[in-house]
Amino acid sequence: MKIIQGLNYRQWQQRNTDKFKTLTVAQQEEARTKGFFNRGWEQVQKSWDILMSFVNIVNNNVVTIFDHKLNKGDLLGAINQSTYEAEQLQNIVEKEVDKMDKLLQKATDIFNKTKKRFATYETAMEYRYNDQTTT
């Protein structure tokens, strides 16, 4: 079985079909005039390149690195990019969690300080009340 860029013939065809279905009718017709034909190894590969020009137009030419690698058929590169992005996101989340922990600690310190002051005030008031009732 022949495999190109990690996909066999049927997988290439299915991927092309899935992308083709996302195009508008006008874009599908234009793709056909440009040579889209989803049969035969060479045609299937050429058709993928034709489809990618439409996908980039649909996305306003804003393509993530992950999408670019995936569109080029670089599955391993797309997986690596996905892993990299996940690690970056994890670092951001860890920093935010650290900030939240610091805020929580600050709030706890303020609460404990206030509680201590209140306890001291309460004790002083009890002492004053007891002092007044005994005399």
Side-chain angles (χ1 to χ4, degrees):
M1 179 184 293
K2 190 174 184 182
I3 295 180
I4 298 176
Q5 295 180 353
L7 299 174
N8 64 30
Y9 174 74
R10 182 66 191 122
Q11 291 168 328
W12 273 78
Q13 274 189 316
Q14 188 60 49
R15 183 175 66 169
N16 286 359
T17 301
D18 293 342
K19 289 290 182 190
F20 187 76
K21 288 179 181 178
T22 63
L23 301 177
T24 65
V25 174
Q27 288 173 327
Q28 289 177 357
E29 289 174 8
E30 187 178 343
R32 286 189 183 108
T33 40
K34 286 184 174 184
F36 177 84
F37 188 71
N38 209 20
R39 289 199 189 124
W41 258 118
E42 287 183 32
Q43 276 304 121
V44 168
Q45 291 174 52
K46 288 177 185 176
S47 294
W48 178 250
D49 291 334
I50 292 168
L51 289 172
M52 286 303 91
S53 67
F54 288 101
V55 170
N56 291 339
I57 291 170
V58 169
N59 293 334
N60 296 324
N61 291 326
V62 177
V63 179
T64 64
I65 296 172
F66 173 82
D67 289 335
H68 177 72
K69 289 180 182 288
L70 193 61
N71 292 341
K72 291 286 186 180
D74 183 8
L75 298 178
L76 185 58
I79 291 169
N80 289 339
Q81 182 64 31
S82 169
T83 303
Y84 173 76
E85 290 173 4
E87 289 170 355
Q88 294 302 312
L89 186 59
Q90 183 177 2
N91 290 339
I92 291 169
V93 169
E94 286 173 357
K95 287 178 185 176
E96 293 301 315
V97 167
D98 287 343
K99 285 181 186 177
M100 289 173 29
D101 285 343
K102 288 177 184 176
L103 286 173
L104 178 61
Q105 185 59 47
K106 189 174 183 179
T108 303
D109 292 344
I110 292 170
F111 173 76
N112 288 336
K113 190 175 181 181
T114 305
K115 184 178 169 185
K116 191 175 186 180
R117 282 185 182 167
F118 181 72
T120 305
Y121 176 76
E122 192 175 52
T123 305
M125 293 305 289
E126 283 180 20
Y127 179 74
R128 181 187 253 176
Y129 176 76
N130 289 338
D131 210 23
Q132 287 176 355
T133 54
T134 55
T135 50

